[in-house]
Amino acid sequence: MTPRSRLALALLWLAALLLTGWWVSRTLQVSGDLRRFMPTAETPAQKLLIDELGEGPGSRLLLLALAGDDAEMLAAQSQALRAKLAADPQFKLVANGDSGLEDFPERLRPYRYLLSPTLDTATAAFDEEFLREQLDARVQDLGSPAASLVEPLIPADPTLETLVLAESWQPAQAPQRLHGVWFDRGGREALLAVQTAAAGFDPKGQQAAVATITQAFATVRGDSRSTLDLTGPGAFSVEISTRTEREASWIGLVDTIGLLLLLYIAYRNWKTPLLGALPLASAGLAGLGAVALLFEGVHGITVAFGFTLIGVAQDYPIHLFSHQRAGQSPWSSVRTLWPTLATGVASTCIAYLTFFVSGVDGLKQLAVFTIVGLATAAASTRWLLPALIDADAHRDPAASSRLARLWARIERWPQPRWSLVLLAAAALAVAVFAPGPFWQNDLAKLTPVPADALARDAQLRAELGAPDVRYVLVLQGPDTETVLQASERLRPQLDVLVGKHALEGYDLAARYLPSAKNQRQRQARLPDAPTLQAALDAAVAATPFQPDAFTPFVADVAVARRAAPLRVSDLDGTPLAASIGGLLLERDGHATALVSLSGLHDPAAIARLGQQHGAQLLDLKQASESLVGEYRQRVLWALALAALLLASTVWAALRSPRRVWRVLLPMALTTLIVIAVLRGCGIELTLFHLVALILAAGLGLDYALFFEHAGDDRAEQLRTLHAIIVCSLMTLLVFSLLALSTIPVLRAIGSTVALGVVCNFVLGLLIARHPRREVAHAAA
């Protein structure tokens, strides 16, 4: 092709990439829901864990602490901040210890005696004696500093049942109140609890919520010297995202500069790095496009891991560049390479097909992304890239004297035989017998959140009396009425355990919404209008109140007597819905009531109580570990199947036991050595190490296949050595930088692949065929 034709094709290819990128950006829906990467939950604890991860109130809770000024100023800022956030639809609940009368909307106030336990006692009946006591108390209230608060309530609520309910709906282990709002025990920090509308694993929603809180605080802070401390899953996810982007920026910058320099030094041609990027960009966009077409939304982990796994695609154009020599048609070079390249691509793609049997939606996405990406990179290298290469501008790596001397030294290396057996045995022994657990199941240990931030979060949770994040008591039933009644029967026994200090407090849906049975019983104790009016007239006669002052009260009681019991749906649109929503779950004709526990000191006592009342104490930490274990088991089975398919593909391509052995042995031995090194360093393996081992295995297969492809041709051996050196150095640079990351996931992948690259390169050279040495050995 002429230079003008090559330029036109390059621009056309680039335009196609830009158009595809535009379409993908408008079509692709990126999700942050970790449940896509979880296997199907089997046990009740696992099902609850999956629900809580994405939608539960614990994942939506943000804890705020205002400090740095006097208590009165902090209380005023707390009130102002609460008012701003409560008016924002991004937040379902904002609590700071205020009276909480807005939690009891006007339309629900006639129902207050159905929700309150006042009428549960025999002494609390709306007779003359009871009403006189209440009115006398109101007279005293009107002469107290609280007069401005109670005066508007008295005509419709002379017993102040609204305040009783608002007080009872405060958190079970609420902190102390100063100046009307929550403070820590030392009185130095004003505390708030905020529940976001965005799910815990909605990164964009959580980021917007955190930004709103920060901006609102900046407004209410004014010229004060106060500071805001913000913790919770959402705040941590924003911090992790910010740090990841920051590290990705500098790692990406160093990678880009390093790779460009490496490619220029390797090929002494400024066009080569640009041409080499085209197949890789095509692979990424094709993979994203395929996922966008086949799935409703792609998970962020799929994108991150997918681009990591298709990193092997960067090797495809490098092999073509290194095997190109001046004067030879690039089409001739690629035709010679294609059988080997196609074998590697097919083997890797077949291996990833096994992810479809894992039963995990995220892994299926990852398989589609990787398979389509690798196939696209290989196809574009085979049928598009040669048209852009200027054959006359390339130097033949086989003409390098330095490379020839290096290969000569490699040929003098001793041929490994029993040493490989001993190495494999030693690696296996270390992997099996190294002290400590083999697998890491505790997800908490994989968090990149600093230890001091986690400690601060735990401190604020303790101050606010937030529920235990590990244990929860569960009541199951066919409908909400059944589980609410069961919760009510459980409450007295839980109170006994609180008195015995087995736990410090608890919360449950029945605290906010009694069962319909309980509401009807209270309703039956309400007097009819004439009876109530007569008792009220007699009580009012002995007080300063006017005879008709309590007409709204009589009307409210009349409404409550004939009203249907309140249901969960009646609370929609009120702050109470947020409180109940995380404690009462109803799906597919089945209801679950949760009892959150605070300050649990004796799990065994709670478990025994649960068994006596048909409840179950669930350990969500144990549930998460069992779920991770099941996930890993599925992945391991998929990998075992992948290994069989990969070996079968290589056998079909090479049809020689000795050649197949030389290709597969470096990859298998590298996998064993990497596991042994990690275990020897005391590192417990995670699912991220497995993903990294898959990538390292793909690289090893690629190296070994091309070493085998070189055959007896000395020039081809030198070109192959040049290509694999460039490929190895590029991959080693990228993943060595990842190994320096402070993000545990990136560090695990980076260190594992970097070690795998070194082992695959060295073992590929050791095990690769060396014709001169083999001939000399046969003659001897």
Side-chain angles (χ1 to χ4, degrees), residues 21-234:
W22 174 82
W23 176 81
V24 168
S25 67
R26 294 180 60 86
T27 306
L28 193 66
Q29 297 294 326
V30 179
S31 166
D33 193 345
L34 189 62
R35 293 174 295 177
R36 288 183 180 271
F37 266 83
M38 292 291 185
T40 304
E42 302 293 341
T43 67
Q46 291 176 353
K47 293 176 181 178
L48 179 62
L49 175 67
I50 294 298
D51 289 336
E52 289 295 301
L53 278 177
E55 302 296 336
S59 67
R60 303 169 185 260
L61 187 64
L62 295 172
L63 309 179
L64 284 64
L66 310 183
D69 214 320
D70 61 79
E72 190 171 356
M73 174 62 74
L74 294 177
Q77 292 178 355
S78 174
Q79 293 283 31
L81 184 59
R82 179 180 186 271
K84 277 185 169 294
L85 298 181
D88 194 312
Q90 293 183 86
F91 307 103
K92 298 183 68 174
L93 178 67
V94 183
N96 71 340
D98 200 357
S99 62
L101 292 181
E102 70 282 352
D103 289 355
F104 201 49
E106 187 66 33
R107 64 182 176 85
L108 297 182
R109 292 193 181 184
Y111 300 85
R112 56 189 175 272
Y113 290 108
L114 304 186
L115 303 181
S116 169
T118 297
L119 293 175
D120 292 347
T121 61
T123 58
F126 285 172
D127 54 19
E128 179 184 347
E129 180 182 358
F130 176 76
L131 292 174
R132 185 182 299 114
E133 291 176 357
Q134 293 296 313
L135 294 179
D136 288 342
R138 299 298 81 80
V139 171
Q140 295 179 10
D141 290 339
L142 290 174
S144 72
S148 60
L149 173 63
V150 300
E151 184 176 3
L153 302 175
I154 289 177
D157 190 9
T159 66
L160 295 186
E161 209 62 39
T162 306
L163 289 180
V164 172
L165 281 174
E167 185 69 26
S168 69
W169 288 339
Q170 292 293 318
Q173 291 296 309
Q176 67 167 331
R177 283 193 288 182
L178 299 176
H179 307 288
V181 301
W182 288 334
F183 270 80
D184 68 331
R185 284 186 289 269
R188 294 184 296 271
E189 295 181 325
L191 307 176
L192 298 93
V194 176
Q195 186 174 321
T196 64
F201 285 95
D202 177 4
K204 292 183 179 179
Q206 291 293 330
Q207 187 171 13
V210 169
T212 299
I213 292 173
T214 304
Q215 292 169 4
F217 172 72
T219 302
V220 304
R221 178 178 182 265
D223 297 329
S224 169
R225 61 179 184 276
S226 60
T227 59
L228 170 68
D229 204 357
L230 182 61
T231 71

Side-chain angles (χ1 to χ4, degrees), residues 57 60 117 135 237 247 276 348 504 517 544 566 584 611 661 666 668 682 721:
R60 303 169 185 260
L135 294 179
S237 69
E247 292 193 4
T348 306
E504 295 177 9
K517 176 183 176 182
L566 283 176
L584 191 61
Q611 290 176 354
W661 176 255
L721 179 63

Side-chain angles (χ1 to χ4, degrees), residues 250-260 733-735 737-738:
W250 75 262
I251 289 176
L253 178 62
V254 176
D255 278 342
T256 302
I257 295 174
L259 295 179
L260 291 175
L733 171 64
V734 172
F735 287 95
L737 290 173
L738 284 181

Side-chain angles (χ1 to χ4, degrees), residues 48 52 57 472-476 483 487 507-510 581-585 592-596 618:
L48 179 62
E52 289 295 301
V472 64
L473 201 58
V474 178
L475 293 155
Q476 308 268 1
V483 296
S487 300
D507 200 9
L508 70 177
L583 298 170
L584 191 61
L585 314 174
T592 302
L594 306 180
V595 181
S596 65
L618 298 185

Side-chain angles (χ1 to χ4, degrees), residues 501-564:
H501 305 292
L503 76 160
E504 295 177 9
Y506 63 91
D507 200 9
L508 70 177
R511 180 167 164 244
Y512 308 95
L513 180 67
S515 66
K517 176 183 176 182
N518 199 353
Q519 292 184 57
R520 291 191 187 97
Q521 290 174 347
R522 294 168 180 173
Q523 194 175 46
R525 301 201 58 177
L526 291 171
D528 57 33
T531 303
L532 177 61
Q533 189 64 59
L536 187 60
D537 290 342
V540 169
T543 70
F545 294 110
Q546 296 294 321
D548 61 348
F550 301 104
T551 301
F553 168 57
V554 177
D556 278 358
V557 173
V559 171
R561 286 191 80 242
R562 63 176 181 268

